[in-house]
Amino acid sequence: MVAHLRVDKVDKLYDPMDPSEEFRFTNRQKMSNLPFDGVGALGDSRAMVSTGCSGPKAAYLIAYVTVDGQTGGDVTERRKNIEALTLDLVPKVKKELGCTA
């Protein structure tokens, strides 16, 4: 499975469940019980998490993890893998960028 990570530094918290973000997903569902403050959504080939940063480089971050829709086994397995990867990467990105929130 090839995954792509993109991080945007933004000035406000963007909710991935907002109707304006729907175009990014196939079969979008809210990610519940994130192990850090923030909001997230998971689709068949992408996850999006918005989280506070309050660091020197950004007030908020949006992390996108995307995989090729044809990889990673069946859709259920792929979604589990995307979610696990996202939940692992976001705290590491926040630490790397010096986030305090």
Side-chain angles (χ1 to χ4, degrees):
M1 174 171 72
V2 175
H4 302 276
L5 170 66
R6 179 178 128 196
V7 178
D8 290 338
K9 301 173 193 175
V10 294
D11 60 354
K12 69 176 191 172
L13 189 72
Y14 288 87
D15 185 351
M17 291 304 293
D18 187 85
S20 67
E21 302 294 341
E22 185 176 12
F23 75 96
R24 299 180 189 279
F25 299 93
T26 302
N27 299 318
R28 177 176 61 163
Q29 292 180 320
K30 181 178 180 177
M31 293 173 72
S32 300
N33 303 317
L34 296 177
F36 45 80
D37 288 335
V39 291
L42 177 66
D44 288 352
S45 61
R46 171 177 287 177
M48 176 183 169
V49 171
S50 292
T51 184
C53 182
S54 299
K57 299 180 181 177
Y60 296 91
L61 301 176
I62 303 173
Y64 305 91
V65 175
T66 308
V67 300
D68 181 335
Q70 305 303 314
T71 63
D74 67 22
V75 173
T76 302
E77 180 182 340
R78 184 177 339 114
R79 289 173 68 97
K80 285 180 185 178
N81 291 338
I82 295 166
E83 183 173 29
L85 182 59
T86 302
L87 297 180
D88 181 58
L89 287 175
V90 170
K92 292 175 182 175
V93 168
K94 289 178 71 166
K95 183 178 179 181
E96 185 68 27
L97 292 176
C99 297
T100 59

